Amino acid sequence: MKTAEIFARLQDIQKNALAGFSHFRVAALVETEDGQMFSGFNIESSSYGLTICAERVALFKALSEGSRKFKRIYLLCDGEQACSPCGACRQVIMDYAPDVEIIMFDRSGKSDRMSIRDLLPRAFGPEHLTKPDHSC
Ligand code: THU
């Protein structure tokens, strides 16, 4: 898909964001290694902490449909500047899509890109978890 098409798609997705509490709408597209695209927007709750970001909505949709290998995540949010994934999303992206590049659009359509490894240096991961000891 061409960059202009992706940007147009993100603009459409963003319109549907359920962001009635913050009024900050975010759209994400996750591209799988085999070229499928999964969309997401932020879904907010009146119990604010239950809100889920656009990136995780898109990634969880892709995972729950069976995708496991990812190439890119595209992002568009409200405001002047392009935004990058929040810390919680960085962790989840690192857990499930450690090889992705994140492409962050500003509202004029200009984009910046960074790998998740650069966005989350020295990440926590499964290698840090010790095996559970079930002996009591
Ligand atoms: N948000 C996202 O969807 N993705 C991000 O990377 C940053 C923040 C959402 C969460 C909340 O609905 C709103 O933006 C304001 O924080």
Side-chain angles (χ1 to χ4, degrees), residues 91-107:
Q91 180 64 47
V92 174
I93 293 167
M94 192 66 190
D95 285 332
Y96 289 102
D99 298 320
V100 292
E101 217 183 11
I102 320 276
I103 291 99
M104 300 159 275
F105 287 94
D106 69 15
R107 68 173 181 218

Side-chain angles (χ1 to χ4, degrees), residues 51-65:
T51 289
I52 177 162
C53 295
E55 297 90 317
R56 275 176 288 150
V57 169
L59 185 57
F60 290 163
K61 279 168 70 178
L63 289 166
S64 69
E65 293 297 319

Side-chain angles (χ1 to χ4, degrees), residues 108-120:
S108 76
K110 268 199 312 186
S111 62
D112 249 355
R113 55 184 66 210
M114 262 181 99
S115 69
I116 187 62
R117 291 187 200 280
D118 286 340
L119 282 170
L120 192 63

Side-chain angles (χ1 to χ4, degrees), residues 1-14 27-32 35-40 71-77 101-106 108-113:
M1 211 184 258
K2 293 203 179 83
T3 309
E5 273 177 71
I6 286 165
F7 184 61
R9 205 155 154 199
L10 285 168
Q11 286 177 309
D12 281 344
I13 296 162
Q14 195 186 22
L29 275 170
V30 167
E31 186 180 352
T32 66
Q36 293 183 76
M37 292 288 220
F38 290 88
S39 65
K71 265 205 300 218
R72 295 185 195 92
I73 297 178
Y74 301 92
L75 266 185
L76 173 66
C77 61
E101 217 183 11
I102 320 276
I103 291 99
M104 300 159 275
F105 287 94
D106 69 15
S108 76
K110 268 199 312 186
S111 62
D112 249 355
R113 55 184 66 210

